[in-house]
Amino acid sequence: MEVSAEIAVMIQQEEDLVRKKQKGLEARKRWDEKVRRAVDLLNACAIVDEAPASTVVQKRWVPAAVATVACVPAARIKAIDLPGRAIASMFHRLLDEPDSEKVQESVVVDLRAVLARVPVPREDLFYLFRVLAGHFETLFSDRVSCIWPGWLADEAQKVPAEFASDPGINEIRTRLAHNPIGMAKALRAYVELCRDRRDAIPRSDLKKMGLPPTAVDRAPRSPADVTDNPRGFTKVFLLRYVRSTWRPRNTT
């Protein structure tokens, strides 16, 4: 007995849905494996021992650099504010050219000079790798979204063309480079505020713009930043808050 055309279509749609779901699960698994490798290698860079500079760079930093740029572009990793500027700058050089022997050798020389002045243990010296590992842990698919987050590198930074060169947009991108979802939220709110023609924004309208009213309430401000009629905040204050202070949660 043949099934009707309508039932056949429904069966085909169900099979397509199952295949799509399976592909999504496989993609999430591959992504999480990449992120896990990056996190593990970054934590290995924070190991406190008496390893020489050559071992630290070639056996720990280089693999970590390769693994991290496989998840996130080097430029965005370098935009993260890290403690230990000297060590951070050395690792940044490896992010650009992790396979370059010349770069590796120069980093070894510089690190050897630093280690000669720093007694073991080196917790403070290598603490930046713990911080960086923490940033990468936010990229696991169950913390970012329910689908494979392949859009993270580009989609979160998109803004309308007329805002492409806005200094506030660039500041948000730099400040929230470690938090793609938070960056997208801040960029959307910033664009909404820029397009709003009012000088004062009612508190009741903040949520429509993607801004959490309670977080805005707690933000440092002067009496001039608050308005009574309507009850809310000046547009200038809100733009400054979104651009320089607000740290949206890394959740969808």
Side-chain angles (χ1 to χ4, degrees):
M1 181 177 178
E2 294 185 2
V3 298
S4 66
E6 182 180 356
I7 296 298
V9 170
M10 292 175 63
I11 293 173
Q12 183 62 47
Q13 289 176 339
E14 183 66 23
E15 291 176 348
D16 291 343
L17 184 62
V18 170
R19 282 195 294 270
K20 185 176 181 180
K21 184 177 180 180
Q22 184 60 35
K23 287 183 178 179
L25 291 173
E26 292 172 356
R28 287 178 61 185
K29 182 180 179 181
R30 290 194 299 270
W31 172 259
D32 285 344
E33 287 172 351
K34 288 173 62 176
V35 174
R36 171 52 59 195
R37 176 169 172 76
V39 170
D40 290 345
L41 289 171
L42 285 169
N43 282 325
C45 292
I47 291 176
V48 177
D49 58 17
E50 299 183 13
S54 57
T55 298
V56 171
V57 172
Q58 295 169 357
K59 302 297 185 182
R60 299 175 188 173
W61 290 12
V62 170
V66 173
T68 53
V69 296
C71 299
V72 179
R76 290 183 55 207
I77 299 174
K78 290 191 287 186
I80 298 173
D81 186 19
L82 294 173
R85 188 173 300 176
I87 298 298
S89 67
M90 295 180 204
F91 187 66
H92 288 170
R93 281 148 57 190
L94 290 172
L95 292 175
D96 291 325
E97 299 181 89
D99 297 324
S100 170
E101 292 185 4
K102 184 177 180 180
V103 172
Q104 292 180 24
E105 290 173 0
S106 68
V107 173
V108 168
V109 171
D110 291 345
L111 180 60
R112 187 177 292 130
V114 171
L115 295 182
R117 301 184 182 93
V118 178
V120 176
R122 306 164 180 169
E123 287 94 340
D124 294 340
L125 193 62
F126 294 156
Y127 179 68
L128 78 159
F129 292 106
R130 298 286 187 201
V131 175
L132 197 52
H135 284 292
F136 271 78
E137 285 178 351
T138 67
L139 294 178
F140 282 114
S141 60
D142 62 340
R143 304 183 193 184
V144 175
S145 66
C146 294
I147 59 174
W148 179 55
W151 52 270
L152 289 177
D154 302 310
E155 199 68 25
Q157 300 194 40
K158 287 185 177 180
V159 294
E162 64 265 32
F163 294 96
S165 59
D166 188 300
I169 294 293
N170 293 330
E171 185 174 345
I172 291 171
R173 285 171 172 164
T174 299
R175 185 171 63 84
L176 297 175
H178 65 286
N179 180 358
I181 288 180
M183 181 198 301
K185 291 179 180 178
L187 290 175
R188 283 196 297 269
Y190 186 84
V191 169
E192 286 283 334
L193 284 167
C194 287
R195 287 176 167 172
D196 198 300
R197 296 181 180 274
R198 295 172 295 181
D199 294 328
I201 309 298
R203 187 180 185 279
S204 58
D205 287 355
L206 294 180
K207 189 171 290 187
K208 300 175 186 176
M209 295 180 165
L211 286 168
T214 53
V216 178
D217 290 339
R218 294 193 296 266
R221 61 179 184 271
S222 69
D225 295 326
V226 183
T227 62
D228 294 324
N229 188 23
R231 178 172 176 258
F233 307 90
T234 65
K235 177 179 175 179
V236 172
F237 161 72
L238 291 173
L239 285 170
R240 185 173 68 247
Y241 170 70
V242 173
R243 185 177 67 244
S244 306
T245 307
W246 186 35
R247 295 185 178 277
R249 292 183 178 179
N250 191 21
T251 55
T252 52

